[in-house]
Every structure is written in C-alpha cells, then in structure tokens.
Amino acid sequence: MIKNRKIDIKGFVIEGLTLSSALFIIAIIIFMLVVIINGGKSAFSWEFLSAFPKEGMTKGGIFPAIYGTALLVIIMSIAAVPFGVITAIYLTEYAKENSFIARTIRFAVRTLAVIPSIIFGLFGLGFFIKFVGVKMDGLFLGGELKWGQPNILWASLTMALLTLPVVIVSVEEALKTIPRELREASLALGATKWQTIKKVVIPGSMSGIMTGTILAVSRGAGEVAPILFTGAAYYLATLPHALSDQFMVLGYHIYVMTTQSANVDQTLPIQFGTTCVLLLLTFTLNIFAIILRYRIRKKKIN
Amino acid sequence: MKNSKIFTENLYLHYGSKMALNNINLAIPEKKVTALIGPSGCGKSTYLRTLNRMNDLIDSVKIEGNISIDGINIYDKNIDVVNLRKKVGMVFQKSNPFAKSIFENVAYGPRINGISDKNQLTEIVEKALQNAAIWDEVKDRMNDSALGLSGGQQQRLCIARTLAVNPEIILMDEPASALDPISTSKIEELIVQLKENYTIVIVTHNMQQAARISDMTAFFYIGELIEYDKTKNIFTNPEKKQTEDYITGRFG
C-alpha cells in the first residue's frame, strides 16, 4: 500500500492552475511595461522633461505637467495628512470601540473610500468652486471672479478628500500595531493620554504613518477624474504661480493627448513618454515607501 | 492594622455583568512585601490594577467600594489619576521597555514630569538603575536600544523606569513569570532590597516565590479574598481549607 503511490491528478491540476494565473499576472505587467517603455523611449530626452509643449502640443516637453503634478500632490498632502492622522488618532486612541460616533466615522470613511472618483470631481466643482469659491468672491472681491473657478487649490482639496480614507485607514493600522503593554507602561508612569500618544504611540508607528501617507500620495498622483472639473487645464503657457491658478497635470495630459490632440498619431511618443513619467513617479513613491518601512523596522529591532 | 498604607473596604468590581471582585477588604502594610496568590482568573491581577486605577482604561469596568492610600480615597472624583500613578508605580508581567535607548527609557518618567536638565536627568537615571541592580550591566551602553537587553535585564530596566518616578508603592504583576531561574532570583533579591523604601504589592503564581519574599500573603479565589495573614501563617498554618489545598498544590 505504502509503495503503491498514485499520481495526485487533482492536486497537480490545482497547483498548475494557481501557478499559471500567478504567472499570467506577471506576464501582463511585463507586457504593459514593454509596450509603454518601447513606445516612450524615443520621446525621452532632457528637453522632454524640462520644456513646455510646442507646436500645438505635438512636440516639446511635459515640464508644466510634471510641475503641476508635484504641486498638486504637495498641497493635497498638506491638507489630507494632518487631517487624516488626527482622525485616525481619535478613532484608535480616544473613541470607544463600539460607540455610535466611532461607528459613524468608520462608516463614513469606508463610504468615502468606495465613492467613484468622478463623483469627487463633481463634488469639488459644486462645493469648492460654485459654493465656497463664489461665496469668497462675493465676500472679499465684490463679486469679481477669482476663486469661483477651477484652480489648483480646489483641485488639491478635492484630491485630498479622495485620499483621506487611505490615509486614515493606514494610519489607524499603524497606530494599532503599538501593543497595549507599551501604552500601559507609559500611563503607569504617570503620563497623560496625550503624552503617551505623543511620545510612545506616534514615534512607534512613524514608519506606518509615513508609508500610508506616501501610498495615498501615489494614488493621488495618478488620479484624473477629481481634478477634471476642479483645476486641471488642457494647456497653459505659464506655470501656476498662485493657488488661484489652473495647472497642467500628467494624468490629464495623457488623456488630452490621446483624445483631444490634433494629430493623435504624431503625438504617440509623447503619450507613451508621459505615461512612462507618471508610472516612474508612482513606482518611485512606492519604492520609497517600502524602503522607509524597511529601514525604520530595522532600526526598531536593533 | 498599624502602619497600613493601603486600605480596601467593601470593594466590588464588575466587567459588564460579570463580577470579578466580590467584597474585598484588605489592609496592606507600609514598606512590606504583600503577595497576592490564587489560581488564574481569581481576581488578584484585577485587584492589583484597581490600586493604580489601571482598570479605568477598560470601558466596561464598574467599581464600587473604597480604596484609600494614606487616608485618601483614590476613587474620589477629585483624584488626579496621573498623580496617583506617579505615586503608585507598576511593573508588568511582560517586560515592556519602549523602543528607545536605555537612558531614555528610564528618563521617560522624569521627562514627562517636566525635568529637562541633562545633569539632573543623568543623576536620576543613574540612581534608578543602581537601585534596580542593573547599573553595572548597562552603564557602558546607555545609548543602546533597550530592546537589545535580555528578558531579565529588560524587566529590571522596567523596575528602574518605575523607580525613576519616585513612587511610594510599587505594584508588580507576576514580574518574574517569563524569566529564567537566575533572572528570577535577581528580581527576587531586588524586591527584598526595595521594601526598605517602598511598599510592594506583588501578584505571583509561584508559591515558593511568595513564601520567600513576602511578609503578608492574600489568597484570592473566584473573586473573593479567602484568607489574608502573615506569609508564615498562610504557608505553615492556614485557617481555611481552600488555602491549604491551594498552597499544597491540590488544585489551581
């Protein structure tokens, strides 16, 4: 009996199936990268990264889009990260686990996370521009149109709303990794709750907070829909100088080049090149997040 | 009882609807070691945590009755829990140093008390480490992470951290249960030294440990205080049968 080994066909088939679907995913990623890099490599040059678009956006570079994306991401982080971290601190440290308010906040965060991004765009248009902006113009500028139109501030705030759930959830996860024993140790030494949060909980979960932030930023960098109506421009001859200026952005630039361009075939290298830059940006942010997490974790062990 | 530091009268504690402490009356003497023994779930740790109001952190806990320290009811609504915990320090079962340097671990308490002068901090830290009998082992690596110490060293560091706040009472929740015999005996020696200056209340599962180091022993069983007497009497001539059964290892 022991020697009479049968071939386990079912096990063999299942292993094969799972392996091949895993390999399939890798194949798709490699295929995408090869196509994008192949298409974009001819566009890549220092000029492409540092110059403005030229000749009706069929030649030249994408510098304003890179600049706009960076600016968008920075303003978005300034708005979303403190707000998200504070909310997460409330949820994990102060709110009672099953209280009505904590459950309501968690429900709101989860709902916010599944709302399609185009809805955020519409909300930004309706709330920030048509309501807050128009009201601001009426109050401070006597009705002169300045804030009541799309600009980088409203676009960044709309994007901040979109990334807020990502920040809240990842910071919450990070705060939860601090064991109860450490909080108790601090409290037993006569520390107040806030001292415990400030000196034990937040320093201990810094890597998690940073990674969550970077992941949220990298998500925001690639989104287009929320900024479509709230500040992204088709083409601008100048860089944004004030919060009330419109701006160009990488994701939207790809969309414009593929659908609105005068000559789509001619701009193909620019489309691929812009895609490369955007992917590179998100990859870099993700790798940075991974390195950061790794380094802080290593430091903690030593 | 004369020289009692902590008085507990008619103490009841509920977790939600479950009763965890049932009418506890206990007077803990000053500058002595009082051991709380009993089988798991008997309420001894719960009782220990009422003394520095650590149970306040659990939402469902309801406490009735009185605990007074130096004649002051610590459950009075005017009591500042933060100051209470400075007076009543605690050492936990699992050593729990912060992910900071050895120095910063011990300096944590003084720092939150507003001491920022480097010389003063150094002095306090050094004294606390000496009193916790770990100074010689760590004096050359004060800036290394506390997490690199052995389990026994970590626990003595946690004791030093508690001493640095200058408490009057030290609560210990099975401080040696996760340690090897050599580290355990070091902690026990330390506890005996510490009682010269501090009132110590220790929860332990280890009968021999209670017999070796404590002056008074309280035996808890299913939320009730069954017997409380001088350690010598409890271990040689207990009044209650339950106590005798437990200390002779017949149950628990």
Side-chain angles (χ1 to χ4, degrees):
Chain A
M1 274 305 271
I2 293 174
K3 269 189 159 178
N4 201 0
R5 197 174 84 112
K6 279 187 195 142
I7 295 170
D8 179 5
I9 295 174
K10 203 173 153 197
F12 189 73
V13 169
I14 290 175
E15 188 183 339
L17 267 174
T18 50
L19 177 67
S20 53
S21 66
L23 288 178
F24 182 63
I25 289 174
I26 298 176
I28 291 177
I29 291 174
I30 291 175
F31 178 70
M32 275 173 70
L33 287 179
V34 166
V35 168
I36 292 168
I37 292 169
N38 225 0
K41 67 177 185 232
S42 65
F44 251 86
S45 65
W46 175 241
E47 195 207 355
F48 183 67
L49 297 174
S50 63
F52 273 67
K54 273 186 264 182
E55 297 175 30
M57 303 211 337
T58 55
K59 290 227 166 60
I62 55 166
F63 179 68
I66 297 174
Y67 183 84
T69 305
L71 212 55
L72 170 83
V73 154
I74 291 168
I75 301 172
M76 175 198 87
S77 310
I78 291 171
V81 172
F83 203 64
V85 171
I86 290 167
T87 310
I89 287 176
Y90 175 76
L91 282 175
T92 45
E93 307 296 322
Y94 289 98
K96 290 182 180 172
E97 184 62 27
N98 276 318
S99 66
F100 175 73
I101 182 145
R103 275 184 297 160
T104 312
I105 297 171
R106 288 217 167 80
F107 176 75
V109 170
R110 245 174 287 149
T111 310
L112 214 55
V114 296
I115 291 175
S117 50
I118 190 75
I119 309 287
F120 280 98
L122 287 172
F123 173 80
L125 175 67
F127 180 73
F128 289 125
I129 297 172
K130 295 294 173 199
F131 180 72
V132 181
V134 169
K135 279 274 179 331
M136 278 168 71
D137 288 342
L139 277 173
F140 305 121
L141 300 167
E144 187 196 330
L145 193 64
K146 184 179 180 192
W147 296 104
Q149 55 190 354
N151 65 36
I152 192 161
L153 176 67
W154 301 142
S156 303
L157 292 183
T158 308
M159 195 66 101
L161 287 179
L162 176 96
T163 52
L164 202 52
V166 184
V167 178
I168 293 172
V169 170
S170 53
V171 173
E172 232 192 313
E173 292 303 317
L175 295 176
K176 277 187 194 152
T177 60
I178 304 299
R180 207 186 65 175
E181 287 86 20
L182 283 189
R183 293 166 213 258
E184 287 189 340
S186 172
L187 293 168
L189 289 166
T192 60
K193 193 160 194 170
W194 172 237
Q195 284 170 327
T196 303
I197 293 170
K198 193 173 63 174
K199 295 187 154 216
V200 175
V201 178
I202 293 181
S205 49
M206 210 54 202
S207 60
I209 294 175
M210 292 297 281
T211 357
T213 305
I214 294 170
L215 292 178
V217 163
S218 79
R219 160 132 201 241
E223 278 284 350
V224 177
I227 54 173
L228 211 52
F229 319 123
T230 51
Y234 178 89
Y235 172 75
L236 293 169
T238 54
L239 296 174
H241 296 295
L243 288 175
S244 56
D245 287 346
Q246 283 190 283
F247 62 107
M248 290 175 72
V249 72
L250 289 168
Y252 186 53
H253 194 63
I254 297 172
Y255 170 75
V256 166
M257 293 307 240
T258 42
T259 59
Q260 319 283 306
S261 172
N263 189 337
V264 175
D265 289 336
Q266 204 187 338
T267 59
L268 216 51
I270 299 181
Q271 293 167 32
F272 276 118
T274 314
T275 312
C276 279
V277 172
L278 185 55
L279 275 183
L280 210 63
L281 182 74
T282 31
F283 279 170
T284 315
L285 283 168
N286 278 294
I287 288 169
F288 190 63
I290 292 165
I291 292 172
L292 195 82
R293 184 154 41 181
Y294 175 75
R295 281 183 66 174
I296 298 178
R297 198 176 285 165
K298 212 170 106 183
K299 202 172 110 197
K300 229 191 234 170
I301 293 165
N302 289 340
Chain B
M1 195 187 295
K2 264 191 280 178
N3 298 326
S4 286
K5 184 84 173 164
I6 309 167
F7 268 108
T8 305
E9 293 170 303
N10 308 326
L11 180 74
Y12 294 83
L13 185 144
H14 290 84
Y15 290 117
S17 59
K18 188 179 162 284
M19 181 181 276
L21 292 175
N22 184 5
N23 196 14
I24 306 295
N25 289 278
L26 191 61
I28 293 171
E30 186 170 19
K31 293 186 182 168
K32 292 272 190 293
V33 176
T34 302
L36 312 178
I37 60 169
S40 298
C42 69
K44 56 193 190 303
S45 285
T46 301
Y47 172 69
L48 190 77
R49 294 165 72 94
T50 59
L51 300 178
N52 64 345
R53 291 185 57 174
M54 236 26 195
N55 288 321
D56 289 16
L57 304 175
I58 304 163
D59 293 335
S60 63
V61 163
K62 215 178 90 212
I63 293 166
E64 289 161 77
N66 269 319
I67 297 177
S68 57
I69 295 177
D70 294 335
I72 297 163
N73 177 10
I74 60 167
Y75 281 91
D76 190 276
K77 63 179 189 305
N78 294 321
I79 287 292
D80 181 357
V81 179
V82 166
N83 283 330
L84 170 73
R85 290 184 186 142
K86 284 172 187 161
K87 186 168 166 160
V88 186
M90 188 166 201
V91 177
F92 297 82
Q93 178 177 7
K94 217 177 117 207
S95 59
N96 50 4
F98 302 125
K100 301 176 192 281
S101 70
I102 292 168
F103 181 89
E104 283 304 327
N105 260 279
V106 185
Y108 184 86
R111 274 194 203 279
I112 56 174
N113 278 319
I115 298 171
S116 54
D117 179 64
K118 185 80 186 168
N119 292 331
Q120 208 183 341
L121 277 176
T122 311
E123 200 179 309
I124 294 172
V125 168
E126 193 177 320
K127 197 166 150 244
L129 288 167
Q130 279 167 348
N131 288 338
I134 190 178
W135 170 248
D136 290 333
E137 290 158 65
V138 299
K139 64 183 176 197
D140 299 323
R141 45 172 175 158
M142 294 293 277
N143 293 319
D144 292 2
S145 170
L147 303 182
L149 297 172
S150 73
Q153 288 173 325
Q154 285 191 7
Q155 195 59 300
R156 276 178 287 146
L157 179 74
C158 290
I159 293 173
R161 186 173 66 182
T162 304
L163 297 179
V165 185
N166 208 10
E168 293 171 23
I169 298 165
I170 302 173
L171 311 175
M172 297 187 170
D173 192 355
E174 298 183 46
S177 66
L179 302 178
D180 62 85
I182 293 169
S183 303
T184 300
S185 72
K186 279 187 185 163
I187 300 266
E188 286 182 12
E189 277 169 40
L190 175 59
I191 291 169
V192 173
Q193 280 169 30
L194 288 173
K195 79 173 181 184
E196 282 180 29
N197 297 308
Y198 305 92
T199 303
I200 293 171
V201 188
I202 178 170
V203 164
T204 180
H205 266 124
N206 182 333
M207 289 309 117
Q208 290 81 12
Q209 185 172 70
R212 276 194 300 265
I213 63 172
S214 71
D215 302 288
M216 301 292 291
T217 297
F219 172 60
F220 283 73
Y221 187 60
I222 328 182
E224 286 183 48
L225 177 61
I226 304 296
E227 192 167 351
Y228 176 51
D229 203 342
K230 292 203 171 86
T231 299
K232 204 172 57 189
N233 295 348
I234 291 271
F235 282 92
T236 56
N237 192 17
E239 277 179 18
K240 301 269 169 64
K241 181 149 191 322
Q242 279 165 308
T243 315
E244 190 180 349
D245 287 350
Y246 183 68
I247 58 169
T248 53
R250 239 164 276 167
F251 81 97

